[in-house]
Structure formats: C-alpha cells, structure tokens
Amino acid sequence: MNRQVAVKSLSLAVLLALVTFGADARSESLDEIYDAGNNAFWNGEYNEAITQYEKLESLDVRSVPLSYNLGTSYARVGKLGSAIRHYERAIKLDPGHTDSHHNIAVIRDHIARRASLEGRDADLTPAVGPWRAILDRFSERGAAVAFLVFHLFLFGMLILRRFVRSEMPRLSLGVVVGILSILTVIAFAIAVGKWHHNKYAEEAVVLTSGALEVKEGPSSEVTRFTVEEGSRVTIAEESAGWTRFVASDGKDGWAPTDELGKI
Amino acid sequence: MGKRALTLVAATFILVAEVAFAQTPPPPDITVTTDRKPLVQGEPFVLTIHVVAHVGEPEIKLPLLTGFEVLQQSESHPVSMSFSFNMGSGGTRHVKKESVYRYKLRANNPGKYKLAPVEVVQDGRRHKGKGYLLQVLPSGTGGGVPPSGGVTGAAQRDPASASPPPPQGRPSAPAVLNPGDIKGARYDKKYFVQTVVSKEQAVIGEPVVMSVYFYTSVNVGRPAVMREPGTEGFWVENLLSPNQRHPVDSVIINGTEFAKVLVRKVVLFPIDPGKRTIAPAIVEVRVRTGFLSTRKVKRAALPVQVEVAPLPDENQPDGFNPANVGELSFDAVVDRTNVKVGEPIILTLKAAGAGNIRNIELPGYDGLEGFKVYAPETETEVSVRPETVEGYKSTQTLMIPKKPGEYVVQAIPWSFFDLGSKEYKEVSSRAIKLTVEGAAEVEASPTKVAVAPTVSKAGQDRLNRKLKSIASRADLSVEKEKPLLARAWYLAVAIATPLLYIGLLVTLRTRRKMAADSSKGRAKRAHSRASKSLVELEKFMGAKSAEDFFAGLSRVLLTFLGDRLEVPVAGDTASELKERLIARGFSAETAEKVVMELEACDFARFARGQGRDAERRQALERMASLLKELNGVKVMAKQEVKR
C-alpha cells in the first residue's frame, strides 16, 4: 500500500514538474517571438515584425500590446485596414487603451483626407448610438467584475440591515442599499449587453486598399455603394465566399469575404 | 581514577573540538586567471573569475572592469556535493557552490590595470580575495597567440561596434561626479536611470542622440527597458542593436563606484517645431534577495527637453519637404544608355548621406515621351553609426522605349536643408542621354486597368511620424475563450448570493413562527389540562372535603399558570405572582383576579359553614371563566421579559 502511494506521489510530482517547466519553456518562447517582432520593427523590417506577431496570434495568444503592435506594424507598411482591425481588437480587450485610440484616429483622419483628394466623402468614425457608446467604454470582463462586486455588496448590506435594530444605522444602510441596487442593475445591464454584443454582433473592418465596391448580391456586378478602407461594419450573413454586411450609415450590401477582417 | 577522568576530559574536548570545527565552514576559494600572457593592446583575451563557496548561497561582489571593453560575458553556477565522515558528527554532506564568471575583454590602451579584489560574503562573513594586476603591452609587442573567433557575430554584423581604437595614452580613471552633476536622473545610492541628449536645441530634421544609462553600485541582473522614452514629435532610429552587449563604464559618485550601463541609444529627428519633452524611460532589473529568490526593481529617469526650431523661411525653395534634412548628395543614373525598342532601362534617383534617410522624399519622375514608364520601386538602406544614421534612399523607375531615337533624361532638381552649412541647397541630377535603336512598336488597344488608390510616399511618411510606437513589453497568455459571465463559478456566486439572502429570511421567519406556534400549543394544552382537572373536580365535588376540593381548585389554577408562564409559580407569594403575571403580559386587573381567586380558595378550604354544593359549583364556574380569560392572554416569552 505504501509503495503504491509512493509511486503515485512520484508520478504526480513528475507530471507537475513537466507541466510547470513545460509552461515556463512555452512562456519563454512566446516572449522570444514577441521580442523578435519588436526587434524587427525597430530595425525597420515591418513585414518581418508582422510575421512574428502573427505567429503568436496563431498560438491563440490574445494580448492588448500584441494587437496594438500588429496594428502599428501594418500601419507602417500602408495596410491601413488591417491596422485598424488590430487596433479595434486591442480596444475590444481594453476599451481604455489610449495608444490604440490615438493611432486609430490618426489613421482614420489620413484615410479621410486621402479619400477627399480622390473625390470621395469619407467619414470613418463609426456612428454609434448612446447605448453602444456606453458599452464601448467598458470591457466585458470589467463590467462582469463590477456587477459581481456590487451584487455581493448589495446582499451583504441587506443581510447586515436585517440584524441592525437602531433606526439611524438602518436608515443609512437603506440608503446604501438603494444606491447599490441602482449600480448593480446598471452593471448587470452593461455586462449582459457587452456579452450579448460580443457573442452575437460580429463586426469587421474593410481591408481593401482605397475603397471597397459593395455589390447588390454575391458575385453581382452592380455596385450599390462604396465604403472606405478601415470602415467598421457589422456582418449580417455569409454565403459562398461572400459576406453581407451593414455599414455604419445603415446601408447594406455584399462583398467578398476576403476583403473584410473580423475584429 | 585520575587517569580515567583525564582521558574522559580529553576525549570530550576532542569531540567538542571536532564538532565545532566541523561546523565552521572553510573560507571560499577565489581564483582570477587570464587565458593568455602577456596581454597586448587591442587583442582580446578571456578573464575568468572562479569562486567556490562551501556554505549556502554566497554573495559575490565582482570587480569593475574599468578600462576594458567587454566583448562577451558569461557566468555559470555548477553545484557539487561531497560527503565526509567526522568523528562524533557522523557523515556530513558538503554542498559546494561554484560561480564561474568569464569575460572576453579587450584593452584599448596599454598600461597596468589593477582589478579590485573579489569579495565574497559566505555564512555572514566577508572574505576578500587578492587584487589582480593586468599588464597590457602596447600593440605590436610580441607574445600571446591571437584568439580565434574574433568578436561576436552580433558585433560583426553591426558596423557601429567596430569602432576605431581610441588614441594611445594612459587608461582613463573613472570619472568622479557629484549627484548634482548628473542631469536627467534621480540619484539613488544603489541604482538609478539617466537620460542624456546630445543637444538641447535643434532644428527640424537635425539628429539629436539620446542615450539612456542605468547606474548601479550593486550586482544586478541585466537591465531591461520596461517603458521606452516618450519620443512623440520625433522620428526615431535605434543606434544600439538589441543583440549588442550593453557598453559598461564606471563612475564614482559620492565616493561610491557605479557601473554605468548604456541601455538605449537612439537618434531622434525632430518632426515639428516647439519645446519637446522626452518622457522618461523606465528600466527594470532583478535584484537577488536570497537563495533562489529575486525581486524586480524599477527606476525611471527624469524627463528631458529639446527645443526644436523650425527651418528658416529665408530662401526656402517652393514645395520644400521638411523631411529632406541632412548632409546629403543626390544624383540620377541609368543602368544602360544604348538599348533597342522594347528593352527596359532602369532610371535610379538616389539621395545618400547622413540624416533621416528613411523619411527623405525623392522627386518623382514624370516620364519621357516615347517611353512607357512604370511606377517606381523605392529602396532604402540605413546603417547605424555611433552618433547618427547613414545610408541612401533611391527610386528605380522602369522605362521601356516604344520608338527609336535620341532621348535625354533631363536634370531632375531636388532641394534639401544642409545641416553642415545650415542653408538650403538646390541640386540637380545630371542629364542623361539615351539612344534607342530598332523599329517602333505597334500601339496595342488600350486595356482598362483598375486604378489603385493614390499611394503617396510622403503621405505614408507623414502618417508614420504621427503614429505612436510599439509596446516594448507584453504579458502574453493564451486567452480562454469563455467570457467571465458564462463561467460556472461566476454564475454560481451570482445566483447563490440572493438565494442565501432569501434562505436567511425564510429561516428567521420560520423560527419566529415556530416560537409563536409552540407558545400557542402550550397554551392550548395548558387549558385543556386545566379543563379536564375541573371536570374531575366537578365529578367528585360531593365526595371530597372542602379542604381537598378547594386545594384541588387552587392547584388547577397554579398548574395552568405554571404551564403558561413556563415557570413554577406555586411557591410565589401573592404579590410575587401578581408582579410576574403583569411582567409577562397580563393586565393588572387579571392579575388581581387570579390573586383574589387563590385567596378565596385558601379561605374556603378552612372556612366553616360553607354551603357545599352551591359554593363549590360557583367556585368551579368562576375558575372556568377565569381560565378562559387567562387563556386569551398572549404571554410574553421569558427571553423578551429578561431583555
């Protein structure tokens, strides 16, 4: 019996060591790839930097600085749609990431000016309603954490109030409970709203250099309207290599799926 | 007896001494060696410092290698174990910790270099090795075999590291500074960071070299830049290759010797005029705090300012691009001047020199009548120098002649701001004669070609200047796809909390109800018992004596009260009983009735001449009525009364 226990313990220890060192080795190689990307960027080898960063993405690494660096590298090689797409990804993970916001604004302004020189009106700033504007300020994780914290505090205060007999403390606790209730409801609404948006609303960015001609239907030759590189659109359906989407001004149409990059 | 005692004492003494000496570890072994002798100026050699500690984790202070260029360095820490057997203490395991430090060095000046002794703190005691003297002979002196391999690959790739040897002379002693002399830094007696710029005033496009130094007076790991200096408003070119070993110098500040490590060196090209503040870099190092434990320490420099003046308006050429600043030359060449119709010619326009090469804008080429001209390809090559960047930028335009003849590629004008003479220069490429032979090509019908968007190199460069640079550090982790809101533990906590609250409410309510029910039940049972007792008394009303009857009646009332109040009341006096009843929720009137009824029973027990049946029946009826009245009263719980 003792021998069995000893063998089991040893196997567990070996397994644990393998997992730990394996994880350490893996995380070290992720850093190496990231550093290689950065070094390539600093040496002006932007395409090489993109290759290294995309290697990390293919390993399912999701990180704000990674998406941001990919966006900046794409911007340096003139692929502005791809740049905006990666900045949007960074903002999706961290709505308060100021560098991404700054660079997106710079690129959108550049595209708008380029479009106006080419005789097109382009306002790439996505038109969003007030509810979406509120949702965009919070990350999904942040809203969920805020809701849980308010929720726990609310019920904690309710339980405490149950056992307090004096009038003034009960009144004060009542006020606190009232405020916490409102905050909890708001946090819940935002958390659920974010979750729903992230799960069901698929958004993409136009990758086509210049302007994308949006068609009447899949493989149609008839152009409905054009949409600028870097514009954010909402995907409605996909069919045989074509995607129907809705632009921020409400117009919808079809374009080859390759011309859009999902956020 | 005496001899025996003496032997015992001696043996004990030897035993204690053995144990004591066995406990005291031997001092560490410190050796310093070089791989060749004599040492010659300019020729690399390997310095090895070997420390063997016999106890625990030693703290090793290595000497600073002032006056030497560090080409390569490595360290290893093999651990070896041995066993020894000592009398009295049995077998002992000795763990030896070796530390081997190897430096590939080069002395650029001849002379005598004294290395400070290696210090080792072992088991709380400080041990000092011997100082080491390195004599470097002037170059050209015979001796030592040149080492194979030369400098490291990284240094070979980077021409900046192959700098020419400094002038001959005595090796320079470490600079002695006061904390106030160190601009751009927050002085700290252990470690701090300094930002230095080569100039505080520049014009647009003029290179400003910015260096970030990490100073340390203690042994630390390799410093890493956690946050790059803020270089908004500048175009940045890196002068220190990431693969290059950080140059280390030494300074003395306030009597303490610091190693000064260059961690960043960039050249900044100002883009816009104005006062530019370079936000401080943050450098992180690992500091050893114990065996296998380290902690990270961060230090930030102070911000530094650079005043950027605009380029002069006077004599500025029309359409001048402010990116064209430097010490530059410009020309145009073709790969061949004599071709046949249909054979390609490549026209190369090239600007070369020192400056912000990547951002230079070259003039376009409008084309040549009789040639099909394709969009140009741009090529840039930049090489890093110690204080600036050099290189060239060129555009290569493919031209294919369509008809024979003599053609001239006219001189192409270009202007730039020359930093040497601080004035605008308008230059032109040479004019180039081309000779095309053969028969003219038949024009093909024009094919509709999709027009790509206008891609302006100048526009792209302007965009690049405005973009913020990349993040140097990231916390990389594989993202779990499930959002927080959908995770089981989250839902469990969110749902469990209100359920817990509801459970608490239900529990409290149930307890109150049970308390109320049990008192009701008790009251019911008490009344039922009392009623039965009254019925019994009525049955045997005639048979019992007055004493027995009225005692029984009194007992019924007292038992009922005892049941209701949950305390025995038989021993209470009249006033005590009255007080008790009032305290437990009975009205004063009811309490008075009870007391009076009991007193009546007591009186009737012993009174003579009482009508038997009539009085007894009356007493029974009064008692039944009183019991009914008492039953209707809600008795306060004992705990509530105590409160």
Side-chain angles (χ1 to χ4, degrees):
Chain A
M1 191 63 170
N2 281 343
R3 197 175 167 192
Q4 276 180 359
V5 168
V7 166
K8 274 184 191 166
S9 305
L10 185 66
S11 310
L12 197 64
V14 167
L15 192 67
L16 199 65
L18 279 171
V19 166
T20 307
F21 288 119
D24 277 348
R26 174 132 190 247
S27 64
E28 194 179 338
S29 75
L30 293 178
D31 284 333
E32 280 173 359
I33 298 170
Y34 186 80
D35 286 344
N38 284 2
N39 291 338
F41 184 94
W42 284 117
N43 289 332
E45 295 156 14
Y46 304 120
N47 287 314
E48 174 60 23
I50 289 168
T51 305
Q52 294 297 330
Y53 296 140
E54 287 187 337
K55 219 187 268 185
L56 287 172
E57 277 207 327
S58 69
L59 295 171
D60 285 333
V61 174
R62 297 287 175 262
S63 135
V64 173
L66 175 63
S67 296
Y68 170 75
N69 285 8
L70 257 170
T72 306
S73 304
Y74 272 118
R76 289 289 175 105
V77 297
K79 292 185 181 172
L80 305 181
S82 298
I84 289 181
R85 177 194 179 203
H86 285 96
Y87 286 137
E88 291 279 13
R89 277 191 174 169
I91 289 169
K92 195 173 175 181
L93 292 171
D94 176 10
H97 194 248
T98 46
D99 286 354
S100 292
H101 282 290
H102 173 269
N103 283 5
I104 272 192
V106 165
I107 291 174
R108 281 187 176 142
D109 180 58
H110 174 87
I111 292 173
R113 265 195 274 149
R114 185 182 72 187
S116 77
L117 283 174
E118 291 170 10
R120 296 190 301 275
D121 276 331
D123 180 11
L124 266 73
T125 313
V128 295
W131 177 237
R132 175 69 196 271
I134 293 171
L135 286 186
D136 282 349
R137 285 188 171 276
F138 300 93
S139 66
E140 190 183 329
R141 189 182 179 84
V145 167
F147 163 68
L148 197 64
V149 167
F150 288 139
H151 185 68
L152 290 172
F153 263 111
L154 170 64
F155 283 99
M157 290 297 113
L158 280 170
I159 291 171
L160 185 66
R161 193 167 178 268
R162 202 84 208 126
F163 293 101
V164 166
R165 295 283 166 205
S166 317
E167 200 180 316
M168 272 314 291
R170 274 182 72 87
L171 192 65
S172 310
L173 282 173
V175 170
V176 171
V177 161
I179 294 169
L180 282 173
S181 303
I182 295 167
L183 290 173
T184 304
V185 166
I186 292 171
F188 179 73
I190 293 174
V192 169
K194 278 299 282 195
W195 171 80
H196 185 272
H197 177 80
N198 289 344
K199 192 173 167 69
Y200 295 107
E202 256 195 304
E203 290 185 313
V205 170
V206 173
L207 302 178
T208 311
S209 193
L212 173 67
E213 292 183 348
V214 182
K215 305 296 186 184
E216 282 276 333
S219 307
S220 165
E221 290 295 325
V222 178
T223 301
R224 245 188 209 175
F225 60 96
T226 59
V227 69
E228 281 303 313
E229 178 186 12
S231 300
R232 193 168 73 190
V233 300
T234 306
I235 295 176
E237 65 177 290
E238 290 180 1
S239 167
W242 284 74
T243 299
R244 187 171 74 83
F245 62 85
V246 180
S248 62
D249 57 4
K251 294 181 191 168
D252 74 314
W254 291 83
T257 305
D258 291 345
E259 302 295 336
L260 302 170
K262 287 185 187 172
I263 295 174
Chain B
M1 184 68 177
K3 253 191 188 170
R4 245 197 213 168
L6 209 63
T7 314
L8 196 64
V9 166
T12 310
F13 179 75
I14 291 167
L15 196 72
V16 167
E18 278 279 354
V19 170
F21 279 116
Q23 300 283 348
T24 311
D29 303 317
I30 304 170
T31 46
V32 179
T33 53
T34 53
D35 68 334
R36 51 190 292 173
K37 270 190 178 130
L39 305 175
V40 179
Q41 174 196 4
E43 288 180 7
F45 65 95
V46 176
L47 175 80
T48 304
I49 298 173
H50 191 190
V51 177
V52 180
H54 299 280
V55 169
E57 185 66 23
E59 232 177 83
I60 300 171
K61 189 175 172 188
L62 297 168
L64 289 174
L65 303 170
T66 313
F68 292 100
E69 195 183 335
V70 179
L71 303 173
Q72 203 171 1
Q73 63 186 40
S74 67
E75 64 179 80
S76 61
H77 301 276
V79 176
S80 61
M81 285 192 282
S82 61
F83 285 87
S84 66
F85 288 90
N86 296 317
M87 194 173 76
S89 59
T92 312
R93 186 184 69 167
H94 298 288
V95 176
K96 277 198 296 188
K97 180 81 193 299
E98 286 183 60
S99 302
V100 183
Y101 301 88
R102 281 196 186 86
Y103 299 90
K104 194 166 193 174
L105 305 173
R106 182 167 57 203
N108 292 316
N109 295 309
K112 284 183 187 169
Y113 295 83
K114 190 161 182 200
L115 292 184
V118 176
E119 288 181 23
V120 180
V121 176
Q122 178 190 267
D123 198 30
R125 287 180 207 167
R126 188 177 293 273
H127 303 270
K128 246 182 179 177
K130 290 179 191 163
Y132 198 77
L133 187 69
L134 295 170
Q135 179 151 16
V136 178
L137 301 175
S139 61
T141 313
V145 177
S148 60
V151 296
T152 59
Q156 277 172 338
R157 279 200 298 278
D158 187 347
S161 68
S163 47
Q168 300 232 3
R170 294 170 66 86
S172 53
V176 178
L177 299 170
N178 292 317
D181 296 337
I182 305 168
K183 285 185 186 173
R186 268 191 207 94
Y187 172 75
D188 180 280
K189 60 184 179 187
K190 277 193 182 169
Y191 16 69
F192 60 92
V193 180
Q194 181 192 28
T195 307
V196 174
V197 289
S198 60
K199 48 185 98 151
E200 289 174 358
Q201 288 173 335
V203 294
I204 289 177
E206 186 176 354
V208 176
V209 177
M210 181 186 72
S211 309
V212 179
Y213 294 98
F214 179 75
Y215 289 71
T216 176
S217 62
V218 299
N219 277 343
V220 296
R222 186 174 170 152
V225 175
M226 292 308 297
R227 189 183 76 184
E228 299 293 335
T231 51
E232 203 170 303
F234 296 93
W235 178 266
V236 182
E237 290 281 353
N238 206 358
L239 296 179
L240 191 67
S241 165
N243 294 328
Q244 206 175 335
R245 292 289 164 189
H246 295 167
V248 181
D249 206 346
S250 74
V251 291
I252 295 175
I253 307 169
N254 263 0
T256 306
E257 196 163 4
F258 280 79
K260 182 179 169 186
V261 186
L262 178 64
V263 293
R264 269 298 175 269
K265 190 172 183 182
V266 298
V267 61
L268 306 171
F269 294 99
I271 298 165
D272 299 309
K275 208 165 198 172
R276 298 282 158 210
T277 302
I278 298 170
I282 295 178
V283 176
E284 187 182 84
V285 289
R286 279 206 173 267
V287 178
R288 196 175 285 278
T289 53
F291 183 64
L292 285 184
S293 66
T294 56
R295 69 181 173 96
K296 287 182 190 173
V297 169
K298 286 183 189 173
R299 289 288 183 269
L302 287 175
V304 291
Q305 289 193 326
V306 176
E307 182 100 40
V308 179
L311 292 169
D313 289 328
E314 200 185 326
N315 298 327
Q316 190 176 100
D318 291 335
F320 175 75
N321 187 323
N324 295 349
V325 176
E327 293 177 42
L328 304 166
S329 64
F330 174 72
D331 203 0
V333 292
V334 291
D335 59 340
R336 43 190 181 167
T337 53
N338 290 312
V339 293
K340 291 189 181 138
V341 169
E343 285 182 353
I345 296 171
I346 296 176
L347 170 68
T348 302
L349 303 178
K350 184 173 177 177
N356 192 357
I357 299 295
R358 280 190 230 274
N359 280 329
I360 284 172
E361 192 182 14
L362 289 170
Y365 183 61
D366 295 332
L368 195 57
E369 182 79 37
F371 281 75
K372 183 169 179 183
V373 178
Y374 291 83
E377 297 271 334
T378 306
E379 188 184 327
T380 309
E381 193 171 293
V382 171
S383 48
V384 168
R385 293 282 166 256
E387 299 296 320
T388 187
V389 290
E390 289 177 354
Y392 69 85
K393 191 169 193 178
S394 66
T395 56
Q396 293 178 329
T397 307
L398 177 69
M399 308 195 303
I400 298 181
K402 295 298 169 190
K403 42 192 184 185
E406 296 283 327
Y407 300 91
V408 175
V409 175
Q410 299 295 340
I412 300 168
W414 190 61
S415 55
F416 67 98
F417 185 80
D418 182 38
L419 284 173
S421 59
K422 297 282 188 220
E423 58 186 18
Y424 293 98
K425 285 200 172 160
E426 293 188 66
V427 296
S428 298
S429 64
R430 72 191 85 173
I432 304 171
K433 279 189 189 161
L434 301 174
T435 306
V436 181
E437 293 165 354
E441 265 190 10
V442 175
E443 282 283 340
S445 53
T447 316
K448 192 168 180 185
V449 175
V451 178
T454 311
V455 176
S456 150
K457 197 70 184 76
Q460 179 66 44
D461 291 342
R462 265 197 301 275
L463 173 66
N464 288 347
R465 284 197 288 274
K466 289 180 184 173
L467 293 171
K468 289 196 175 183
S469 190
I470 56 171
S472 60
R473 281 288 176 269
D475 185 15
L476 301 170
S477 56
V478 176
E479 164 114 335
K480 290 176 179 48
E481 290 301 322
K482 240 182 174 176
L484 196 58
L485 217 57
R487 295 201 200 164
W489 68 265
Y490 183 92
L491 292 170
V493 170
I495 293 169
T497 315
L499 288 179
L500 198 77
Y501 178 66
I502 292 168
L504 182 75
L505 289 179
V506 167
T507 306
L508 288 173
R509 198 168 173 179
T510 308
R511 275 177 68 180
R512 261 203 307 272
K513 202 178 170 192
M514 276 173 65
D517 280 349
S518 68
S519 70
K520 254 193 202 164
R522 263 200 301 277
K524 230 178 166 178
R525 285 191 296 275
H527 189 251
S528 167
R529 269 200 296 272
S531 301
K532 278 185 189 160
S533 301
L534 284 179
V535 165
E536 281 292 315
L537 273 175
E538 193 181 12
K539 250 192 219 169
F540 299 104
M541 193 168 60
K544 289 189 184 259
S545 63
E547 190 179 337
D548 288 339
F549 178 80
F550 284 102
L553 209 60
S554 177
R555 210 166 28 247
V556 166
L557 182 57
L558 288 172
T559 306
F560 175 80
L561 287 174
D563 283 345
R564 288 301 313 276
L565 300 177
E566 295 173 55
V567 288
V569 298
D572 286 354
T573 60
S575 58
E576 280 172 359
L577 181 62
K578 199 171 167 184
E579 268 176 33
R580 196 191 287 277
L581 288 171
I582 292 170
R584 295 294 293 270
F586 292 88
S587 65
E589 200 183 317
T590 308
E592 186 63 35
K593 272 188 196 171
V594 167
V595 166
M596 282 185 65
E597 195 57 45
L598 286 170
E599 281 174 353
C601 285
D602 280 341
F603 180 77
R605 276 164 75 183
F606 303 104
R608 285 172 186 266
Q610 288 282 330
R612 284 175 62 163
D613 286 350
E615 279 87 8
R616 289 182 191 192
R617 200 163 295 284
Q618 272 177 14
L620 272 172
E621 281 168 11
R622 277 201 316 275
M623 187 59 72
S625 166
L626 180 59
L627 286 174
K628 199 174 173 185
E629 190 184 330
L630 290 173
N631 200 43
V633 174
K634 193 177 172 200
V635 174
M636 277 169 63
K638 272 192 288 189
Q639 302 91 298
E640 289 174 3
V641 174
K642 275 181 191 161
R643 253 194 257 122

